[in-house]
Each structure stands twice: as structure tokens, then as C-alpha cells.
Amino acid sequence: MKRLVLCWLSLALLLTYLCPLYYRLYVLHLDSHGTYYRMLWLLPVTVTIGYAACRAIYVHRRVGAVIACAVLILCGSFTYASADSSRAENAYHVPQYVIDLADEMVRDVPGVNVYACVPLEMLFYLRQYDADVCLVYGREAVEPAWGYYNETYEAYELAEELDWDQVLELTRDESRGVGVATYFVVPDGRQMDSDPEDHGLELVFESGGYVLYADRVAQAFVREILAGTPYME
């Protein structure tokens, strides 16, 4: 069984991955987001290394254990001493301002997902902390090779100056139902064509150099849809 899993199965997966015919079929019909490399994750690399190390030190366990530990220590790097490392701000290991903003957003209607427009640098952190906060555009936006296009993304993130009339025309589309965007996170100092409060937005929170605006018009629309449901009791 060990030989089957660690040897023959791994070899079969590797040969399949390297097969030009399989590559062509996968890329043309299954892989629309450039994730072919993830097939390599199926290889039991960690298990194989662990098993090989145990077999290598089986006869001289104490000496072998010391050598194995020395190899791991000397061949690795001390993560906490690296230039990019920093002390975690909280137990979630995400920036504290993300937690503060997310907690503020989910207070509107408990149990109902809220939709928000946020800067690109917050995309991964926000969903990692609270999946009840949904995004009008997601991680596809940060992968140029995917050729991602979204009208709201173009108007909200890429525009040199934030045009609230254009953005709100897109986000208040009633065909989205409860999926209309009710919150906007704007970096402090972002260029805007007008005051957000002139468009029915209200500044509700600030944290870490970001300003959170609530769209009261969109929130009223969501409450109207949810009227009579247990969420509004």
C-alpha cells in the first residue's frame, strides 16, 4: 500500500501532468483561470519526505533524528526575523482596520450578507475574516492575466477620480435584489467628484486610513425586500 500511494500513484499523477494531450484538454475545456499548476498539489510531497526521512534514520534513530533536525534548521529560514515579518495585530492575523470595518458592516441586518465595494488591498483579508461580507468584485480583479472586466470595478477602483453618480447607478441596480452594495470603503484622500453625503451616503466609521460609507438608499431597498421575513423581526 505504501509503495502504491507514495510511488506508483505519484508517478501516475506526475506523468499525467506532463502529458501534452492531457494538458491541452485541461486548458481548453476545464482551466479557464490558469490553475493547471494546482494539479501538482495532489502529489503527496510532505508525506513522502517524512516517510523517506524515517526510513533513512530507522537503524540509527537518535543520530538520524539529530541530523534530520539539523538539516531542517540549517536549510530553512527563521520566519520571525525576515524583513517582511511583523507582529500580528490580532488573533486572525489580518490588519486590525479590516476587522473594525467588517464588524461595522455586518451590524445592519444580522444574518443577512452585506455587499461592499472595497479597495483591492482589502479583498483577501476581508473575506478571510468574515464571509458574511460579500464583494461586488473579488480576487479576479488582481490577476491581470485573467482579463477581468467589471463595470463597477472600472468605475470604483480604476477611475482616477471617483464619480459617485456613475458608481451608484451601477451598485443600486434593483435587479441585484439583496445583492446591491450597501457599503463603500474609501481610502482617506481618494479623489472624488463630489461629497458622498450629497448622494445618500453616510460616513459611519473610520479606521486605519480608510473611511466607511453606508448607502442608506440601498439599505432601505434591502429592508423593503426583507420586510415580513424573520430577518426583520
Side-chain angles (χ1 to χ4, degrees), residues 90-104 126 129:
N90 46 67
Y92 299 96
H93 289 235
V94 299
Q96 185 60 42
Y97 72 85
V98 173
I99 293 178
D100 296 337
L101 293 169
D103 288 343
E104 192 67 30
L126 196 56
Y129 171 65

Side-chain angles (χ1 to χ4, degrees), residues 7-228:
C7 180
W8 301 120
L9 179 59
S10 298
L11 182 61
L13 288 172
L14 185 59
L15 292 177
T16 301
Y17 177 81
L18 297 175
C19 177
L21 178 59
Y22 180 78
Y23 171 80
R24 188 171 183 81
L25 291 174
Y26 187 92
V27 170
L28 291 178
H29 301 288
L30 298 175
D31 186 21
S32 60
H33 298 296
T35 58
Y36 183 71
Y37 68 93
R38 293 181 181 177
M39 280 196 60
L40 292 176
W41 296 354
L42 297 173
L43 296 174
V45 177
T46 304
V47 175
T48 303
I49 293 175
Y51 178 75
C54 290
R55 291 286 297 177
I57 66 174
Y58 179 74
V59 178
H60 303 287
R61 299 184 186 180
R62 294 182 180 178
V63 176
V66 172
I67 295 176
C69 291
V71 169
L72 290 174
I73 294 172
L74 296 176
C75 293
S77 60
F78 187 50
T79 303
Y80 300 104
S82 65
D84 298 329
S85 66
S86 60
R87 180 177 290 275
E89 298 181 55
N90 46 67
Y92 299 96
H93 289 235
V94 299
Q96 185 60 42
Y97 72 85
V98 173
I99 293 178
D100 296 337
L101 293 169
D103 288 343
E104 192 67 30
M105 283 188 266
V106 296
R107 291 179 180 175
D108 186 30
V109 182
V112 176
N113 291 341
V114 297
Y115 285 77
C117 285
V118 304
L120 287 182
E121 61 269 22
M122 289 182 59
L123 291 180
F124 297 105
Y125 292 131
L126 196 56
R127 292 288 295 171
Q128 178 182 336
Y129 171 65
D130 194 337
D132 286 338
V133 180
C134 300
L135 304 173
V136 176
Y137 48 86
R139 71 178 293 267
E140 296 90 347
V142 303
E143 298 288 349
W146 292 357
Y148 179 77
Y149 177 79
N150 180 286
E151 286 187 286
T152 307
Y153 170 66
E154 297 283 329
Y156 188 76
E157 183 67 27
L158 299 185
E160 184 175 343
E161 182 179 71
L162 193 55
D163 184 337
W164 282 113
D165 285 328
Q166 181 183 7
V167 170
L168 293 175
E169 182 180 357
L170 295 169
T171 59
R172 287 175 177 172
D173 182 3
E174 295 186 356
S175 65
R176 296 175 180 266
V178 294
V180 296
T182 53
Y183 285 99
F184 298 87
V185 177
V186 182
D188 193 19
R190 177 81 155 89
Q191 294 186 19
M192 296 181 282
D193 70 328
S194 56
D195 188 342
E197 296 188 357
D198 293 339
H199 301 268
L201 305 181
E202 180 182 345
L203 192 159
V204 293
F205 195 72
E206 295 183 65
S207 180
Y210 294 88
V211 181
L212 177 64
Y213 291 98
D215 186 348
R216 299 307 185 193
V217 175
Q219 287 179 337
F221 173 67
V222 172
R223 287 193 176 92
E224 181 179 345
I225 294 177
L226 296 175

